[in-house]
Amino acid sequence: NAPLWFQKEAFLKQDFACDAYVNDLRRYVPLETLNTELNNYLSDINHELVDLLNKDYTDFVNLSAKLVDVDGAVMRMRAPLVELQSKLKIVREDTSSALRAVIHTANVLAKVEKLLAELKTEEETS
């Protein structure tokens, strides 16, 4: 029903940019015509949406009934998650402290090895 230049698939592309789309088409198509086709397409999409909702209306209405206990489930999960978060914070702090100690020890060890190497060199030259 739409003209050949009006490609509905363009709207589904990941990199769709409306400014680029309009600028591309306005070279070949008057803006009024493009506006009419876009409004027609919008109307078609709205009709499809209404048809889909009407088709699955019972499931759509029951969806809210199924979601009634979601708040309760979230509240039940909140306390264990907060406790886990607290434990992970302690583990992270302990791990950071241990890592700092290892880095410090490695630095001290590198300095000792350097001093030993210098001492060995001095002994060999004496």
Side-chain angles (χ1 to χ4, degrees):
N1 201 11
L4 292 176
W5 53 263
F6 190 77
Q7 301 295 317
K8 295 176 184 177
E9 299 80 27
F11 298 100
L12 301 176
K13 293 181 180 176
Q14 287 284 356
D15 60 346
F16 176 77
C18 62
D19 292 344
Y21 181 77
V22 170
N23 284 335
D24 249 4
L25 286 178
R26 73 185 294 182
R27 287 185 256 166
Y28 312 105
V29 180
L31 283 177
E32 295 80 21
T33 305
L34 180 57
N35 184 41
T36 300
E37 288 304 321
L38 287 171
N39 281 324
N40 288 341
Y41 185 52
L42 177 62
S43 177
D44 290 348
I45 290 174
N46 283 332
H47 288 303
E48 285 181 37
L49 178 61
V50 168
D51 289 346
L52 285 171
L53 287 175
N54 287 336
K55 177 182 163 201
D56 297 325
Y57 182 74
T58 304
D59 291 338
F60 184 72
V61 170
N62 288 335
L63 180 62
S64 63
K66 293 176 185 175
L67 294 177
V68 166
D69 198 36
V70 170
D71 287 338
V74 168
M75 293 307 290
R76 287 189 300 276
M77 292 181 345
R78 182 171 176 74
L81 288 174
V82 167
E83 182 181 344
L84 179 61
Q85 181 182 29
S86 176
K87 288 179 181 179
L88 287 174
K89 183 179 180 184
I90 293 168
V91 168
R92 183 184 311 133
E93 290 169 357
D94 291 348
T95 304
S96 293
S97 296
L99 182 58
R100 282 192 297 277
V102 167
I103 290 171
H104 179 68
T105 303
N107 289 336
V108 169
L109 182 60
K111 289 177 184 176
V112 169
E113 287 175 345
K114 182 180 177 186
L115 290 172
L116 286 173
E118 289 174 3
L119 185 60
K120 185 177 179 181
T121 304
E122 285 179 11
E123 287 176 357
E124 290 175 356
T125 57
S126 327

